[in-house]
Amino acid sequence: MFKPSKKVVATFGVAVIAGSAGLVAGAPMASAASVNPDLTCTEPILNWNKSGKQTFDVSLTPDTGSAPGTVQAKVDAGENPLRPDTPFPGIGFVGQYTFTLSSGGEVTLTAPQFTADIGPTQGINPPEFTADLAIPQAAPGTTIELTLKTFALDVYLPGQTSKITTATCQVTGNNGVVASYKVADSTPQEPTLTTTPGQVKPGGALTVAGTNWPAGTPTVELCDASGNACDAAKVTGALTVTDGALAGTATIGATVADGSYQLKVTVGAKSKTSNVAVKADVPSNPRKLTLNPTHGPVGTEVTVNGEGYTPDASVYVIPTNAAQQPDVPGLVMAKAGADGKFTAKVKVNKADTTLIAASEDTTGTLSAGAPFTVDGVNPPTGSLKQDVTGTIAGGALTITQENAGIKLSDVTLNGTEQNMTGALNTVTVKDYRGGSTGWTLTGAVTDFTNGAGGTIAAEKFSWTPKLTPGEGSPSQAVAGSAGPIGKTGATLASAPNADVTGGTFKADAGLSLAVPAYQAPGNYSATLTLSIS
């Protein structure tokens, strides 16, 4: 039996949509019919009780398509037989049209409120209107016929917002089918393909899944971002198809360069692609310096050895003091080799020198430094001196989360787009590296799928980020912008490069999934992947 109400129960990761309505059909055709049944109309308060005939014209657009589905119904009713003994000008009415469905059940269409005069010689003539009509589940090839059951009018006095009564007209004879809908013959569903996570390192593995695949042995290729230049040598796959379900893993080649790609799966004549990002882990600041010697009087020549610099880059090597004021006359230039290493000789000319730095740019953001101590001149007789050194090693940049699953709010389908809302499990960023390099925390989400062909695009999933810094954290971190997350990802939080960075931060976000008005029912799932670099 068709039920016009639809219930949506949703979780992030597992979303259940139960009900009878589905996606909007798109065929341009329409069916139309007209009936002129006998009506008996009653009204309990004003005593507008009359019998007579009324014409009803109904057309459906489209008049054929899938089931469940949604069509547009256009309804034009003629003059109603209600005739009160006293004239009533400017009365407000809301029409309620109830139809019986040949497939079982019934449906009611509600017209917009209108104003009309009514009296002994003037009946109510409702204006034409259109409304969405939900087609229930039915077998392919079935014809669903609509027959008028009742026509009711809610009555409003002039200037009032609450109805005072309802006049109901029952069909008592000379009725017929006013519209029909032909359920299209079933067609094979197209295969679906999902890959998780959305970003992997070279040599990393993807979980591959899909539905509606033909029997056969799957093959995999890695294509460029536009789906071209596909190469089977860049990926290996261990995939199977069982009763139409595709499953297994695909491993990206260890030498694949960073970038955006599409993973292509082919079984027989069917192929599908899914977006994949490849990004290698890059140390936040791989540059290191060693000095020989590490101390000496003014005029000491120091051999500076550097590593981790950009191959073939020009490097500025310069002494500096505790106030980070460089000794510009003491600047020397060096050039990194193909291995990122260089050697340079720098002369210490000032007694306040505390550090020797080497940078690839004049701002010092692509730099490393090593301490240098200037020895005292003519120390007092009998004094002793001991050099004290120690090493502080930088820690790691890490992220953790409190939980792995997110529950979104429940919604009920009502013919309009709605939002399922929730909250991101708190993500804690710990930056113990020291130095001057910032970081970016991003997220990317896959399409929501229900395993039966239903899909809600990843771009429908959005967030409103929030960031709380821990006490004493030096980095000036900020939350990302509110908006869609999508497959290509969005920023949850970030910290810029600065003279001093580090700290602990808690990142949160409000979540929202926009559910289309007539989304297909089923259990939906998606994966949100968070990455920091």
Side-chain angles (χ1 to χ4, degrees), residues 134 254 381 430 443 492:
T381 302
K430 296 180 180 179
L492 177 59

Side-chain angles (χ1 to χ4, degrees), residues 296-302 346-351 372 374:
V298 172
T300 298
E301 186 176 68
V302 181
V346 175
K347 189 174 182 180
V348 176
N349 297 313
K350 293 187 176 182
F372 183 87
V374 177

Side-chain angles (χ1 to χ4, degrees), residues 25 36 49 102 167 177 183 198 269 289 318 334 391 406 414 460:
N36 188 26
N49 303 328
S102 62
V177 175
V183 180
L289 288 187
I318 191 169
T391 301
I406 299 173
N414 60 9
K460 294 286 187 178

Side-chain angles (χ1 to χ4, degrees), residues 71-115:
V71 300
Q72 187 177 72
K74 183 167 69 173
V75 181
D76 187 10
E79 187 174 356
N80 186 268
L82 283 171
R83 300 289 192 279
D85 295 334
T86 303
F88 290 88
I91 301 298
F93 298 97
V94 173
Q96 307 279 347
Y97 300 73
T98 300
F99 301 92
T100 300
L101 303 178
S102 62
S103 59
E106 59 187 41
V107 62
T108 298
L109 300 180
T110 301
Q113 184 172 335
F114 65 95
T115 302

Side-chain angles (χ1 to χ4, degrees), residues 423-495:
L424 180 73
N425 291 310
T426 299
V427 176
T428 301
V429 178
K430 296 180 180 179
D431 184 6
Y432 299 151
R433 299 168 296 170
S436 58
T437 304
W439 48 264
T440 301
L441 177 60
T442 60
V445 70
T446 63
D447 288 340
F448 287 75
T449 59
N450 67 356
T455 300
I456 301 177
E459 287 69 24
K460 294 286 187 178
F461 193 58
S462 60
W463 63 14
T464 302
K466 176 184 177 183
L467 186 71
T468 304
E471 183 177 357
S473 297
S475 285
Q476 300 299 310
V478 295
S481 300
I485 302 172
K487 295 180 181 178
T488 57
T491 298
L492 177 59
S494 64

Side-chain angles (χ1 to χ4, degrees), residues 218-265:
T219 61
V220 292
E221 300 171 274
L222 193 65
C223 312
D224 63 20
S226 62
N228 299 314
C230 300
D231 190 346
K234 292 183 177 180
V235 61
T236 57
L239 307 179
T240 60
V241 176
T242 304
D243 296 329
L246 176 71
T249 59
T251 302
I252 302 299
T255 60
V256 172
D258 289 3
S260 298
Y261 298 90
Q262 290 191 22
L263 184 78
K264 182 178 181 180
V265 177

